[in-house]
Amino acid sequence: MKKIFTVACALSVILSTTSCATIFTGSKDSITFNTKPEGAKVIFQGVEKCVTPCTTEFQRTLGKRTVEIKKDGFESKEVKLEKNFNAVTLVNLIFGGIIGFGIDLGTGAFLKYDPKTYTVELKQN
């Protein structure tokens, strides 16, 4: 009986301190960029992430994320990456895991990027 109680207590502590969204959905999202015409650079914080068509990862965060789409001979465009609430985070609240919820907040895992694909039409200069 003592062993069962110990296992139950340990399980309770583990469940209440997990960060479900971080564990189950990670803290990054892959986002696909398409442009018309193809071959544009996707630039984030001054760094080229990829050339379209492409898929690249972005760390989830509370802050706003914007990428710049650039191609020689075409007007540049800024694209704001949209986010939505990650419902997996609710598991922490249901099981009383405020610590886990805090971890999800800190890692940005309580949000997820949505949509996961952006198509941008570039205008010629």
Side-chain angles (χ1 to χ4, degrees), residues 80-120:
K80 180 183 172 196
L81 302 181
E82 301 292 329
K83 294 179 241 175
N84 286 315
F85 180 71
N86 188 354
V88 177
T89 303
L90 292 176
V91 174
N92 284 329
L93 294 176
I94 293 168
F95 290 105
I98 195 70
I99 294 171
F101 183 75
I103 292 170
D104 286 346
L105 284 173
T107 63
F110 85 102
L111 294 172
K112 61 183 177 178
Y113 289 104
D114 187 34
K116 299 273 195 269
T117 302
Y118 291 86
T119 301
V120 178

Side-chain angles (χ1 to χ4, degrees), residues 15-125:
L15 284 175
S16 69
T17 60
T18 59
S19 49
C20 291
T22 303
I23 292 169
F24 293 117
T25 64
S27 59
K28 295 179 182 180
D29 282 316
S30 292
I31 301 176
T32 300
F33 295 92
N34 298 299
T35 58
K36 295 177 185 177
E38 295 180 347
K41 296 176 183 178
V42 177
I43 299 169
F44 175 66
Q45 295 180 337
V47 177
E48 183 180 321
K49 296 279 281 183
C50 60
V51 176
T52 64
C54 61
T55 301
T56 187
E57 281 191 335
F58 286 89
Q59 183 74 35
R60 294 181 191 157
T61 181
L62 295 175
K64 294 179 182 177
R65 296 277 192 192
T66 307
V67 297
E68 185 177 13
I69 310 292
K70 284 179 133 179
K71 182 174 173 82
D72 289 340
F74 292 84
E75 292 179 16
S76 297
K77 282 201 174 177
E78 282 198 357
V79 175
K80 180 183 172 196
L81 302 181
E82 301 292 329
K83 294 179 241 175
N84 286 315
F85 180 71
N86 188 354
V88 177
T89 303
L90 292 176
V91 174
N92 284 329
L93 294 176
I94 293 168
F95 290 105
I98 195 70
I99 294 171
F101 183 75
I103 292 170
D104 286 346
L105 284 173
T107 63
F110 85 102
L111 294 172
K112 61 183 177 178
Y113 289 104
D114 187 34
K116 299 273 195 269
T117 302
Y118 291 86
T119 301
V120 178
E121 194 160 331
L122 299 173
K123 294 181 183 178
Q124 242 177 341
N125 282 339

